[in-house]
Amino acid sequence: DTGVSQNPRHKITKRGQNVTFRCDPISEHNRLYWYRQTLGQGPEFLTYFQNEAQLEKSRLLSDRFSAERPKGSFSTLEIQRTEQGDSAMYLCASSSGTGYGFYEQYFGPGTRLTVT
Amino acid sequence: DAKTTQPTSMDCAEGRAANLPCNHSTISGNEYVYWYRQIHSQGPQYIIHGLKNNETNEMASLIITEDRKSSTLILPHATLRDTAVYYCIDSPGANNLFFGTGTRLTVIP
């Protein structure tokens, strides 16, 4: 399968614990995006990378959220000191492109986080 | 943040055309109209996009009004597999997609 993959698919954690999710984009894609989706809502943009550079992070929900893409390939999203309100589906997407304009984003299946 | 408005839900008979409307009341000149859909338990999937002209691809057609304040996504022959939430988005580029709550389309046998 050459699509976007995300691991784990499901994560249950206790409030206050740290969690990390991984996203592996389509291999030739240089852009990678993270979204959060809560029940009944559309995906909410969080951040994106072009290669290893994080070009937009003002939408990260709080300073407990951080993302990395150290070698411009896979990416991780970490949530520190989780809260029950962090329970959601976390989606990753990737696309090609280096300039301005439309590049189709391909989404992974998501990681469902439940904070108890 | 999402700027478009869509009906919450719609039904369509299998085999008939599904016409999904969207209002883009604050769209600006350099913003494209994008449509994505999300089938249950999957990530969103790109359908089509356009700027001013109507567009067609193998999945759907996109009709954009002359003033660009509204668009319609047309699925010409809806099948049960088209049951999904459909999102319209207007954005100057595809880097930051701001999804609204979308239209839940149910295709009825």
Side-chain angles (χ1 to χ4, degrees), chain A residues 14-30:
Chain A
K14 293 184 178 179
R15 184 168 55 89
Q17 297 295 305
N18 299 342
V19 294
T20 300
F21 310 137
R22 176 177 170 128
C23 172
D24 287 89
I26 293 171
S27 60
E28 64 269 24
H29 284 178
N30 60 334

Side-chain angles (χ1 to χ4, degrees), chain A residues 31 33 35 37 40-43 45 48 59 91 100-105 107-108, chain B residues 1 30 34 36 38 43-44 46 49 87 92-101:
Chain A
R31 288 180 174 172
Y33 313 80
Y35 294 80
Q37 186 171 25
Q41 302 298 311
F45 171 79
Y48 95 96
R59 295 274 175 170
L91 293 161
Y100 188 84
F102 174 75
Y103 300 96
E104 179 181 344
Q105 292 187 25
F107 283 80
Chain B
D1 298 307
N30 65 340
Y34 304 94
Y36 277 73
Q38 188 171 23
Y46 165 78
H49 78 285
Y87 299 98
N95 289 333
N96 304 358
L97 294 178
F98 297 106
F99 292 79
T101 53

Side-chain angles (χ1 to χ4, degrees), chain A residues 29-115:
Chain A
H29 284 178
N30 60 334
R31 288 180 174 172
L32 187 148
Y33 313 80
W34 284 100
Y35 294 80
R36 183 181 80 157
Q37 186 171 25
T38 54
L39 197 62
Q41 302 298 311
E44 177 184 13
F45 171 79
L46 296 179
T47 187
Y48 95 96
F49 294 83
Q50 182 160 309
N51 300 311
E52 64 275 12
Q54 191 172 11
L55 297 187
E56 171 61 66
K57 56 182 179 181
S58 65
R59 295 274 175 170
L60 285 169
L61 300 163
S62 77
D63 59 7
R64 298 185 297 107
F65 287 72
S66 63
E68 292 184 342
R69 194 183 184 197
K71 297 183 179 179
S73 57
F74 74 91
S75 175
T76 57
L77 177 70
E78 182 182 16
I79 308 173
Q80 296 182 328
R81 304 180 304 280
T82 53
E83 302 172 356
Q84 287 188 319
D86 298 331
S87 295
M89 178 74 81
Y90 291 84
L91 293 161
C92 174
S94 71
S95 75
S96 58
T98 56
Y100 188 84
F102 174 75
Y103 300 96
E104 179 181 344
Q105 292 187 25
Y106 294 81
F107 283 80
T111 294
R112 180 166 296 284
L113 173 67
T114 302
V115 181

